[in-house]
Amino acid sequence: MTGTARAFWLDSPGRGVIREVRLPEPGPDEVLVRTLFSGVSRGTETLVFGGRVPESQYGTMRAPFQEGDFPGPVKYGYLNVGVVEAGAGDLVGRTVFCLYPHQTRYVVPAAAVIPVPPAVPAGRAVLAGTVETAVNALWDAAPLVGDRIAVVGGGMVGCSVAALLARFPGVRVQLVDADPDRAKVADALGVGFASPADALGGVDLVVHASATDAGLARSLELLRPEGTVLELSWYGDRSVALPLGEAFHSRRLTLRGSQVGTVSPARAATRTYADRLALALDLLADPALDALVTGESSFDELPDVMPGLASGEIPALCHRIRYSGDDD
């Protein structure tokens, strides 16, 4: 046996614990990874922590290396950066990203890890899973040069989308959020900012990521006739009220869903999941994306930190978890 590791488990909704787990020796096509950092996305992970995954979505919402089942006990997470310590020879010593939960060390197939480019610091690479979501969303949305675009919802996903849109030539991007503190993040990313009441209307495209009824309704209001809202929010077990009886039909608006679980149909014939994730890691060479990491705690603090993240008591976009490596 390679030894033991420690993993964060959702023991029951609202209660997390750290458990010791046994590790096997890596096989010929596997690697042993020692975690450097993991990330907590306040969207999906806090819904999981609160036990708010609808039963109908249990299969869809499974993480690649999840153990246990919803609502718990379950080991859940998907933003992990570490160093390969053993296994496939060409990867030993490399810093890699993996869609793995919060755990000090782990063994996975070599094909499940993607090397982090030299230009990307390990601490920033925890954002890869969220930037991958943004890449897929923009493949779905297909913005054009010169478009007027609003991103409604300045959370981790919305800010990632805004950051990528800031690179599009001639595009006017405005991040829209009820929290005025998000203006600092928007400035760091190089995009405009507005409150929902002051947002510029007549836009060609709205990417909605606020996970609120009000945000989705405002997204429709901001569109020009025949404009599109791309819906990225995941609402868990909540129902959504939407005013489709007003000008939705007469203005011929489009509301379209996007989800990172499948590669966008616009690129499915030519890109794999690994291609998409590698692209996200390449895009993380931009230091402006450091603005999305808004807090950090040690792995040992995670059981106490998660309730604060889930309740909003600890405000965060991506909350980074650091690992000491002294328990291996």
Side-chain angles (χ1 to χ4, degrees), residues 303-323:
D304 295 324
V305 167
M306 279 297 294
L309 291 171
S311 68
E313 180 183 348
I314 301 175
L317 291 175
C318 176
H319 193 88
R320 188 165 57 201
I321 307 302
R322 65 179 182 276
Y323 294 70

Side-chain angles (χ1 to χ4, degrees), residues 208 210-220 235 238-243:
H208 178 242
S210 81
T212 66
D213 297 24
L216 184 52
R218 184 62 176 140
S219 296
L220 291 172
Y235 298 89
R238 290 190 294 115
S239 297
V240 178
L242 192 61

Side-chain angles (χ1 to χ4, degrees), residues 78-79 97 99 125-134 156 260 277 280 284:
Y78 47 83
L79 303 174
F97 178 87
L99 296 166
V126 297
L127 298 168
T130 308
V131 173
E132 182 185 15
T133 299
M156 193 174 169
V260 74
L277 185 52
L284 281 166

Side-chain angles (χ1 to χ4, degrees), residues 107-190:
V107 174
V108 293
V113 303
I114 302 289
V116 174
V120 180
R124 190 188 305 154
V126 297
L127 298 168
T130 308
V131 173
E132 182 185 15
T133 299
V135 166
N136 206 58
L138 294 181
W139 283 347
D140 280 335
L144 300 176
V145 171
D147 271 359
R148 296 161 295 179
I149 302 173
V151 179
V152 176
M156 193 174 169
V157 170
C159 285
S160 296
V161 170
L164 298 191
L165 285 170
R167 305 164 182 237
F168 278 63
V171 165
R172 185 195 75 193
V173 186
Q174 190 170 58
L175 182 66
V176 180
D177 198 276
D179 182 356
D181 286 342
R182 290 290 186 261
K184 300 173 186 176
V185 180
D187 184 61
L189 298 177

